[in-house]
Amino acid sequence: MENSSESTVLWRVLYNQGNQWSQAVVQLGRVTQPFHLLLHKVSLGIYVGVSAIDDIRFENCILPPPSKSCKGPDHFWCLHTRACVKKLQLCDLVDDCEYLFTFGAKCLIPELQCNFENGICNWEQDTEDDFDWTRYQGPTSTLNTGPMKDNTLGTAQGHYLYIETSEPQVFQHRAALLSPILNATDAEGCTFRLYYHMFGKHIYRLAVYQRVWNNTRGQLLWHIFGNQGPIWIRKSLSLFSRQPF
């Protein structure tokens, strides 16, 4: 970041990559202050080899442009930038209206959102699973796995939760994180949003369940398998329940 001596690794590649040009796509995410990019080559000093770069470009790196109007119940007109954004983009701790918490929108109460910067908020580690989620910051210890940075701050100083799938874990070991008990929803239901990162050769499954009884896993709402690449991905789920869950 500008006026900061700390840097965040966004992408890296190691050793011989062959004799062809390869494309690299680096996810910057929403950055709320001026920044520089540094292309940093480290040489082993004992082998013959060349690193080269070409055709650099930035994509989708500006805020949404101003709109003359913004109609419809599913959209929100940003007060300062006058951009028209979807309401599902509001209050997710990743801002689309220039101000970090979307000034002018009625955002969620703090108890209903968590960015893991100060612990795991009111979430809990399940005591019936095989191991726990770990709160972390910066690159994970295993090469070519995990995120380089968190999704909220977009730097190595930001925090996130992750699980390590290498030893002592074995296939189908499960780590579960429990939300606080939520009240029954209204007739229209509510929306649960998260950003997930699944990068590595031996990724198995991430799943979201909704349950009303403590001694069950509950109803499977969504799951995804396998390597999804070195990026944070947004997911929204519609929830409905006639009783606390």
Side-chain angles (χ1 to χ4, degrees):
M1 299 299 175
E2 189 180 39
N3 302 322
S4 173
S5 60
E6 297 179 335
S7 61
T8 296
V9 178
L10 299 178
W11 174 86
R12 63 187 171 193
V13 66
L14 302 174
Y15 309 122
N16 181 26
Q17 299 297 309
N19 62 349
Q20 73 285 327
W21 286 100
S22 301
Q23 185 184 50
V25 178
V26 182
Q27 185 186 43
L28 298 178
R30 172 76 168 100
V31 183
T32 59
Q33 54 186 303
F35 65 97
H36 304 277
L37 289 185
L38 172 66
L39 296 167
H40 191 199
K41 161 66 178 170
V42 179
S43 175
L44 289 173
I46 55 176
Y47 297 110
V48 175
V50 170
S51 295
I53 58 172
D54 199 5
D55 297 333
I56 296 173
R57 69 180 184 269
F58 291 84
E59 298 178 354
N60 302 321
C61 289
I62 60 173
L63 289 167
S67 297
K68 293 183 178 180
S69 64
C70 189
K71 299 179 180 180
D74 298 329
H75 290 80
F76 176 81
W77 209 359
C78 299
L79 294 183
H80 182 68
T81 64
R82 309 310 290 170
C84 186
V85 299
K86 295 181 179 178
K87 282 190 175 180
L88 278 178
Q89 295 176 255
L90 301 180
C91 307
D92 61 356
L93 300 177
V94 178
D95 184 51
D96 296 282
C97 283
E98 189 171 340
Y99 295 112
L100 185 58
F101 295 105
T102 314
F103 177 76
K106 295 181 179 179
C107 291
L108 302 172
I109 59 176
E111 290 76 14
L112 292 179
Q113 57 188 6
C114 187
N115 59 13
F116 306 114
E117 291 306 309
N118 298 293
I120 64 172
C121 307
N122 49 9
W123 290 68
E124 296 179 359
Q125 304 278 3
D126 192 354
T127 58
E128 304 295 327
D129 56 6
D130 302 299
F131 66 110
D132 287 341
W133 290 80
T134 300
R135 181 170 170 267
Y136 204 71
Q137 61 184 154
T140 54
S141 57
T142 307
L143 288 176
N144 295 322
T145 67
M148 295 285 193
K149 57 184 177 63
D150 80 322
N151 186 68
T152 314
L153 302 181
T155 70
Q157 286 69 52
H159 292 79
Y160 57 90
L161 297 188
Y162 90 109
I163 61 167
E164 181 60 70
T165 60
S166 55
E167 293 182 355
Q169 273 66 257
V170 299
F171 180 58
Q172 290 192 342
H173 266 190
R174 187 172 62 94
L177 194 69
L178 300 175
S179 78
I181 296 175
L182 303 171
N183 292 327
T185 64
D186 61 21
E188 295 181 358
C190 64
T191 301
F192 173 62
R193 297 178 295 191
L194 75 157
Y195 285 82
Y196 65 92
H197 194 289
M198 297 173 66
F199 178 48
K201 289 184 178 180
H202 302 106
I203 297 291
Y204 183 48
R205 185 176 74 143
L206 176 68
V208 177
Y209 291 85
Q210 179 181 357
R211 77 185 192 189
V212 295
W213 306 106
N214 286 340
N215 60 349
T216 66
R217 188 173 296 182
Q219 174 190 1
L220 177 64
L221 299 180
W222 169 82
H223 63 175
I224 190 169
F225 290 86
N227 180 14
Q228 303 298 313
I231 58 174
W232 288 100
I233 302 171
R234 178 193 175 103
K235 181 65 183 179
S236 296
L237 296 171
S238 297
L239 308 179
F240 174 78
S241 179
R242 289 188 172 90
Q243 53 188 311
F245 62 96

